[in-house]
Amino acid sequence: MGVPRGGRIVVVGGGPAAAAAAVALREIGHDGGLVIVGGEPRPPYSRPPLSKAFLSGGVEAGDLALGVADAELRTGVRAIRVDLDERRVHLADGERLPYDGLVLATGTRARRPRDPSVEVVSTIADAERVSARMARARSALVVGSGFLAYELASATHARGIETTLVIRPGALAARWGMLADVLTDRVRTAGIRLVESPGGAFGDGTAITADGRRWEADLVLAAIGAEPDVIAPEYAATGYLTDDRCRLRRTVVAAGDAATVRSPGGARRDRTWTNALAQGAAAARSLLDDDAPPYAPVPYAWTEACGTEVKIAGAPPLGVAPAVIDGDLSEGRALLQWPGGAAAVGYRIPVARLKTLAAAPAPATLEG
Ligand SMILES: Cc1cc2nc3c(=O)[nH]c(=O)nc-3n(C[C@H](O)[C@H](O)[C@H](O)COP(=O)(O)OP(=O)(O)OC[C@H]3O[C@@H](n4cnc5c(N)ncnc54)[C@H](O)[C@@H]3O)c2cc1C
């Protein structure tokens, strides 16, 4: 039995996974109580533009709002604990919310350096503060080795700020194979200084790289990862570890960046926008319907560096040299394919077609 008709569903989290779950619950026919508890002071919004068009001046906070369906929205209050046996969510203001069904969509908490002068971009409030500091900065240091670091460096560069990006050698390639080289070439060619350092330190206006060199700037930005932001302590280390239908229990589901899905192919955590939306909807179905299908999406992610958008569907190209299906990488426009995946670099293609290409048989050569 799913959640009883007319029962009360509580959604904890104020991001896309929470919003998508609420919309799907109503679409599937949940006509009982529906409460969304979001820790930020504003309704759910879209995060990806924060490090891109928002910082470079193309969009404003009001453009980022997400629809949340017909739900009671409690913003600016965090859930601090859930009692899974008693079926109650405890809020920071002392209120307890009983539930018949629970969606946990609490996302991740960005790692924030101890030095408060080092900025992190995770929320609209962060992006607004950083944007104001960018208006006064002439130089910026960006520390980090994921897509987000490349995006932040691209944004400061686009605002005319002399930018240095400090990365760990090989870190991006370990996750994204040759696509890391594509991004690195792109930012270097655009005029961002790239410094490789296997370790080091950074703080107020400086970074010291492993070779002892000291780099100084008006603004230091860090993109050094994030941890699952969970309210059930037993999942603190792993994030919410669900079955293949996003369930923790019959009455509790989890979705988005805070969730890891166990399936016959292994545990899968996908911290992307598209996954948060799809998994929020899938988790909602699993809550209401005992016969919900397993959650098995084709992964999809995108990023952009200095004006070039890179879209990736399927598995990343690790240990393979992708085939160029169309275009030319040296000209910054190419469609790539490898067994189990495909990518579009500066190349316009609908996401659905890219996913189809990712699933199609591909010619590829082993690297090395
Ligand atoms: C700057 C930036 C750029 C990004 N760019 C891309 C991109 O280009 N492509 C891509 O695929 N992905 C990108 N991502 C990742 C993408 O935004 C996330 O995968 C997605 O937002 C995850 O959605 P979510 O709903 O799981 O969590 P989140 O979006 O993290 O939302 C979780 C929400 O829940 C709230 N919350 C947490 N704990 C509690 C609690 N206890 N009580 C109440 N509320 C709580 C949080 O305050 C937050 O508002 C980017 C992320 C950032 C930060």
Side-chain angles (χ1 to χ4, degrees), residues 193-216:
R193 184 197 285 130
L194 251 139
V195 178
E196 292 197 326
S197 176
F202 54 92
D204 188 12
T206 53
I208 298 168
T209 42
D211 56 9
R213 280 183 297 171
R214 187 183 179 91
W215 306 86
E216 301 204 341

Side-chain angles (χ1 to χ4, degrees), residues 212-229:
R213 280 183 297 171
R214 187 183 179 91
W215 306 86
E216 301 204 341
D218 302 333
L219 178 62
V220 183
L221 296 165
I224 50 174
E227 311 292 350
D229 197 357

Side-chain angles (χ1 to χ4, degrees), residues 51-269:
S51 49
K52 309 176 185 69
F54 187 93
L55 282 188
S56 38
V59 298
E60 295 176 3
D63 303 328
L64 306 181
L66 296 171
V68 290
D70 173 20
E72 182 190 338
L73 199 53
R74 306 260 185 105
T75 53
V77 60
R78 281 180 67 86
I80 50 171
R81 192 160 67 79
V82 57
D83 188 332
L84 295 171
D85 293 326
E86 296 283 321
R87 293 194 193 169
R88 260 192 218 124
V89 175
H90 297 247
L91 304 189
D93 61 9
E95 193 179 355
R96 291 172 197 181
L97 296 179
Y99 63 80
D100 299 297
L102 177 65
V103 181
L104 294 167
T106 44
T108 52
R109 192 192 288 262
R111 276 185 211 135
R112 291 180 187 262
R114 279 209 199 102
D115 183 335
S117 74
V118 177
E119 300 282 5
V120 166
V121 177
S122 173
T123 64
I124 284 187
D126 293 331
E128 286 174 339
R129 200 181 52 251
V130 169
S131 186
R133 286 192 65 184
M134 280 167 72
R136 302 188 298 272
R138 282 188 301 183
S139 55
L141 275 166
V142 181
V143 180
S145 299
F147 285 169
L148 185 53
Y150 282 69
E151 291 177 6
L152 294 175
S154 302
T156 51
H157 177 73
R159 295 260 298 253
I161 299 169
E162 187 192 314
T163 300
T164 303
L165 173 60
V166 183
I167 58 172
R168 276 181 191 269
L172 194 64
R175 289 197 59 208
W176 296 103
M178 55 73 70
L179 295 173
D181 300 335
V182 171
L183 293 174
T184 301
D185 286 351
R186 187 68 202 102
V187 298
R188 195 179 268 134
T189 310
I192 292 172
R193 184 197 285 130
L194 251 139
V195 178
E196 292 197 326
S197 176
F202 54 92
D204 188 12
T206 53
I208 298 168
T209 42
D211 56 9
R213 280 183 297 171
R214 187 183 179 91
W215 306 86
E216 301 204 341
D218 302 333
L219 178 62
V220 183
L221 296 165
I224 50 174
E227 311 292 350
D229 197 357
V230 301
I231 55 169
E234 58 269 46
Y235 296 107
T238 53
Y240 302 116
L241 205 49
T242 74
D243 69 7
D244 61 354
R245 284 155 174 87
C246 312
R247 289 181 188 134
L248 288 170
R249 295 184 171 202
R250 187 61 206 86
T251 52
V252 184
V253 293
D257 282 10
T260 298
V261 177
R262 272 190 293 219
S263 64
R268 199 173 145 261
R269 188 181 66 192

